[in-house]
Amino acid sequence: MCGITGWLDWEKDLSQERPVLQAMTACLNNRGPDAEGFWLHPRVAFGHRRLVVVDPTGGKQPMSAIHRKHACTMVYNGELYNTEDLRQELLAAGHTFLSHSDTEVLLHAYLEWGPDCVERLNGIFAFAIWDERAHHLFLARDRMGVKPLFYAQRGSSFLFASELKSLLAHPEIKPVLSREGLAEVFALSPARTPGHGVFQNVHEVRPGYSLIVTPNGIRKHRYWKLVSQPHSDDLRTTTERVRELVTDSIHRQLVADVPVSTLLSGGLDSSVITAVAASSFKEQQRGIHHTYSIDYVDNARHFQSSSFQPDEDAPYVKIVSDYLGTEHRTITFDTAELIDALRTATLARDLPGMADIDASLYLFCREIKKETTVVLSGECADEVFGGYPWFHRDELLHAGTFPWAKATRERASWLSPELQDWVKPEAYVAQRYEETLDEVPQLPGEDPLEARRREMFYLNLSWFMNTLLDRKDRMSMAASLEARVPFCDHRIVEYVWNIPWQLKMHGNREKGILRKAMEGYLPDEVLYRKKSPYPKTHNPAYTEAVRSWLLEILNDSSSPLLPLIDVPTIRRIANLDAEASGIPFFGQLMSTPQLFAYLGQLDFWLREYHVAIQH
């Protein structure tokens, strides 16, 4: 993967702006530690940081090419999984190639098909192309939003970058929060409204969208969306098709010129990916497949089963690794490391996030990077196949709000009365929820309960999945590790979207059709294991450490957080038994200890980024 940034200006000569471009690009060093590149043109300036995964010598960026007197220059972050298919089409159309990189194939795909090239891509990507003939800038982001792409317009300038920190390095972009930005941080975070960049007048290209920037403004185009239609395949055909799509996606994502491994939690999703990968390694004689899992000091001693986290991962990890013959390593972290990494995780996200759930993933990726460059991960299967509790529990399915964030009223009570009155968090969340429901592609004549489940899938794909993908991208790239997500293949999403609930839940089990499709790849005790989320620490020492951090902030009169929160309410929560409330306020993992850490991250972020509030 890589980091990209750029600056388009219709009035200023950017060929003289190298220092600013270098500053914007330097912010992305962790995304691409292996190489740096710049391209300056009177109208456009591009910066690039590269993490070498394919073709070390032939994939240098920014990359320029000419075909039939049509000249273009590109910066690109991502990985194409149908590179060779596209290359053959382009060779037949008269294109020639100097490398075997997917970067060059993508650039020539644009030269051949123009903006429509995105419809032919299978992969994860965010890229920008300066089209000299059309005299416009073209930007696009992958269908699922695996790779980030932020942008902002200031006068005659248009700026873009992989991360917010790169935009903030430009003198025209300031870290200002309006009422809307405050609502994002205090009412929705760690989720974020699709397309919203939190800071004032900063945006993100939405998944499945492209932009064309001309002197007349920005034209947005939605090149991909889900289509609702009747599912006519029977159980056998559906099972075979799911197996075919899942295994093909995994096989495609094993291609690299550097070491490739998988994350393994012992749950269904990571175990399926590991099983297919290990089999492929044996067939291709690529050596022993390596797998990694995460754990915490004394977690087994402090673990308490709950409906959100029913059992521990370690026994299942061993079963899968032994069954498949992988070289497995469990990486264990202690509380002090998690606390230290909370600040690093905030810097990686450019925003307060999922507290120790972010921090632990960063530490995990940092250790893995010492031994490998690419990992495959099981994100998105729960959103695509229906694995979360809110798909199955009536009170969550019909909650009338985002089911992973039901505590909006409780969250509002944490804010100062003035901020509550200004931001109106409950109304803001309700507005975003209703806007999303209005986007759902309905199927005429569908049973009301089936239609509601379709809405739930859309909410998950648009919001919860994006939150987890955002987390995975920032934490892995902060460690210079490329994380691939095979269940995010748009072909899987499109097909499973229309499978009716009865088939999706084959055998009356969550993700039943996926389990059925992958029979024979794994032992039944793993294949039919009850879902368990990403492991978090259960060590009470962590709770005490983040509680102490929060109390220090509450006792610091200079804290920028204090005017924004209801200090007596937060102090009362901090002084109560933090484990008394085991019900998460976001997702399945963020309960009271994570609230303490989140507020600590907020204070750190407000100070570190010198965030201003625009009334």
Side-chain angles (χ1 to χ4, degrees):
M1 293 301 154
C2 304
I4 64 173
T5 191
W7 180 6
L8 166 68
D9 199 298
W10 302 111
E11 298 176 3
K12 182 180 289 188
D13 182 358
L14 297 185
S15 61
Q16 306 303 310
E17 297 292 337
R18 188 180 183 93
V20 175
L21 183 66
Q22 285 179 317
M24 294 173 70
T25 306
C27 294
L28 304 171
N29 286 356
N30 287 338
R31 296 188 74 91
D34 299 329
E36 179 181 66
F38 302 99
W39 181 75
L40 291 101
H41 176 280
R43 290 279 74 84
V44 186
F46 284 163
H48 187 266
R49 293 293 315 190
R50 187 181 183 203
L51 175 66
V52 174
V53 173
V54 174
D55 196 354
T57 58
K60 295 178 181 179
Q61 296 187 51
M63 182 177 285
S64 299
I66 300 176
H67 181 68
R68 296 172 184 159
K69 300 182 180 179
H70 185 188
C72 290
T73 299
M74 179 179 74
V75 280
Y76 156 59
N77 166 33
E79 207 72 56
L80 296 186
Y81 305 128
N82 63 336
T83 299
E84 293 312 309
D85 300 336
L86 293 171
R87 192 193 310 274
Q88 294 309 312
E89 278 193 77
L90 292 165
L91 286 169
H95 292 256
T96 57
F97 295 94
L98 303 175
S99 73
H100 71 270
S101 73
D102 59 333
T103 305
E104 190 179 15
V105 168
L106 175 55
L107 183 53
H108 278 265
Y110 178 86
L111 287 166
E112 179 66 23
W113 298 301
D116 291 342
C117 70
V118 290
E119 298 176 16
R120 297 170 178 261
L121 307 180
N122 180 320
I124 53 179
F125 53 82
F127 63 89
I129 295 177
W130 172 248
D131 189 323
E132 189 68 44
R133 185 170 67 189
H135 203 63
H136 71 219
L137 182 68
F138 176 74
L139 302 97
R141 190 174 178 210
D142 65 73
R143 296 168 179 84
M144 299 297 121
V146 179
K147 293 288 106 183
L149 186 56
F150 294 93
Y151 69 94
Q153 196 162 21
R154 298 291 187 271
S156 60
S157 291
F158 177 90
L159 301 133
F160 69 88
S162 295
E163 296 183 6
L164 289 167
K165 61 174 64 68
S166 179
L167 289 182
L168 292 170
H170 189 280
E172 291 297 317
I173 309 297
K174 306 297 183 186
V176 176
L177 292 182
S178 64
R179 171 189 172 273
E180 201 167 283
L182 286 165
E184 292 286 319
V185 169
F186 283 100
L188 286 171
S189 184
R192 186 158 42 82
T193 300
H196 204 297
V198 179
F199 294 115
Q200 190 172 42
N201 296 320
V202 174
H203 312 279
E204 189 172 24
V205 178
R206 289 192 63 172
Y209 274 74
S210 61
L211 307 182
I212 292 178
V213 186
T214 72
N216 297 321
I218 301 171
R219 297 202 312 269
K220 299 180 184 178
H221 172 62
R222 187 176 188 178
Y223 70 86
W224 180 84
K225 60 182 178 181
L226 289 163
V227 176
S228 295
Q229 56 193 16
H231 181 82
S232 57
D233 292 346
D234 60 14
L235 173 61
R236 179 178 177 180
T237 306
T238 301
T239 301
E240 291 174 351
R241 182 60 176 153
V242 168
R243 183 188 303 116
E244 174 189 324
L245 288 170
V246 168
T247 55
D248 182 69
S249 176
I250 296 167
H251 283 302
R252 286 177 181 271
Q253 297 191 29
L254 292 171
V255 175
D257 293 337
V258 294
V260 179
S261 306
T262 57
L263 306 185
L264 177 61
S265 71
L268 172 67
D269 312 330
S270 65
S271 298
V272 163
I273 292 171
T274 299
V276 177
S279 174
S280 178
F281 266 54
K282 289 176 183 175
E283 290 174 8
Q284 298 178 28
Q285 298 183 330
R286 291 175 64 173
I288 296 176
H289 183 63
H290 288 248
T291 53
Y292 298 88
S293 63
I294 187 170
D295 205 349
Y296 306 91
V297 171
D298 290 335
N299 229 33
R301 184 156 63 93
H302 298 295
F303 178 83
Q304 291 183 351
S305 179
S306 71
S307 59
F308 290 102
Q309 204 153 19
D311 52 26
E312 295 181 84
D313 286 338
Y316 294 92
V317 168
K318 186 176 189 318
I319 290 169
V320 175
S321 180
D322 289 349
Y323 183 79
L324 298 174
T326 72
E327 183 72 33
H328 185 76
R329 180 185 170 200
T330 298
I331 301 173
T332 304
F333 300 106
D334 207 346
T335 297
E337 296 172 280
L338 282 178
I339 298 297
D340 288 344
L342 286 169
R343 292 172 175 83
T344 305
T346 306
L347 297 174
R349 252 196 208 261
D350 295 311
L351 295 165
M354 298 184 79
D356 57 290
I357 301 155
D358 279 354
S360 61
L361 181 59
Y362 163 71
L363 293 170
F364 189 34
C365 291
R366 189 183 68 181
E367 287 302 306
I368 294 170
K369 172 63 180 177
K370 296 174 182 179
E371 300 176 1
T372 191
T373 303
V374 177
V375 293
L376 273 61
S377 182
E379 270 85 3
C380 309
D382 287 308
E383 291 85 352
V384 174
F385 288 93
Y388 292 121
W390 41 82
F391 285 105
H392 305 274
R393 297 184 189 174
D394 283 348
E395 77 278 11
L396 295 176
L397 182 64
H398 300 287
T401 187
F402 301 111
W404 51 83
K406 287 180 61 185
T408 303
R409 180 168 298 176
E410 182 181 359
R411 290 182 67 157
S413 73
W414 302 335
L415 308 184
S416 69
E418 296 78 14
L419 192 61
Q420 285 188 53
D421 186 58
W422 185 34
V423 169
K424 296 179 173 55
E426 291 183 79
Y428 187 82
V429 172
Q431 175 192 342
R432 294 308 193 194
Y433 176 74
E434 292 298 330
E435 287 172 352
T436 309
L437 291 187
D438 288 341
E439 296 178 358
V440 179
Q442 302 290 348
L443 181 61
E446 192 167 43
D447 171 82
L449 181 56
E450 196 77 7
R452 176 56 189 162
R453 288 199 173 105
R454 190 179 292 276
E455 290 178 342
M456 183 59 71
F457 275 99
Y458 192 86
L459 288 165
N460 276 262
L461 293 169
S462 300
W463 282 83
F464 199 71
M465 188 171 82
N466 278 358
T467 302
L468 298 187
L469 289 174
D470 188 53
R471 165 181 173 259
K472 179 55 64 78
D473 173 83
R474 298 306 190 285
M475 299 309 125
S476 61
M477 293 310 298
S480 306
L481 179 73
E482 176 176 318
R484 299 176 178 177
V485 280
F487 288 110
C488 249
D489 188 305
H490 69 277
R491 300 169 303 160
I492 297 174
V493 176
E494 288 170 352
Y495 184 73
V496 178
W497 169 254
N498 286 307
I499 297 176
W501 183 253
Q502 186 177 3
L503 276 182
K504 276 195 182 95
M505 299 302 112
H506 175 72
N508 200 30
R509 286 298 310 272
E510 73 278 7
K511 297 185 287 190
I513 193 64
L514 177 61
R515 299 176 196 274
K516 176 69 174 174
M518 303 312 295
E519 284 180 350
Y521 281 84
L522 292 163
D524 282 354
E525 59 191 311
V526 175
L527 195 63
Y528 288 94
R529 180 192 176 193
K530 187 172 176 58
K531 175 181 167 47
S532 187
Y534 175 86
K536 68 174 181 177
T537 179
H538 295 272
N539 195 324
Y542 174 79
T543 302
E544 287 308 311
V546 291
R547 186 211 305 268
S548 296
W549 184 22
L550 177 58
L551 288 173
E552 285 178 17
I553 293 168
L554 296 180
N555 293 328
D556 180 1
S557 60
S558 69
S559 167
L561 178 65
L562 300 190
L564 304 174
I565 62 174
D566 189 309
V567 174
T569 297
I570 298 299
R571 191 181 295 278
R572 186 167 59 252
I573 295 171
N575 286 325
L576 292 173
D577 178 6
E579 297 299 334
S581 172
I583 300 173
F585 70 89
F586 185 89
Q588 301 175 86
L589 300 176
M590 294 188 71
S591 54
T592 311
Q594 285 69 40
L595 168 62
F596 298 163
Y598 182 77
L599 292 173
Q601 286 186 314
L602 255 173
D603 178 79
F604 171 75
W605 175 69
L606 290 166
R607 297 178 197 252
E608 188 74 15
Y609 283 72
H610 305 288
V611 176
I613 295 174
Q614 182 70 54
H615 289 279

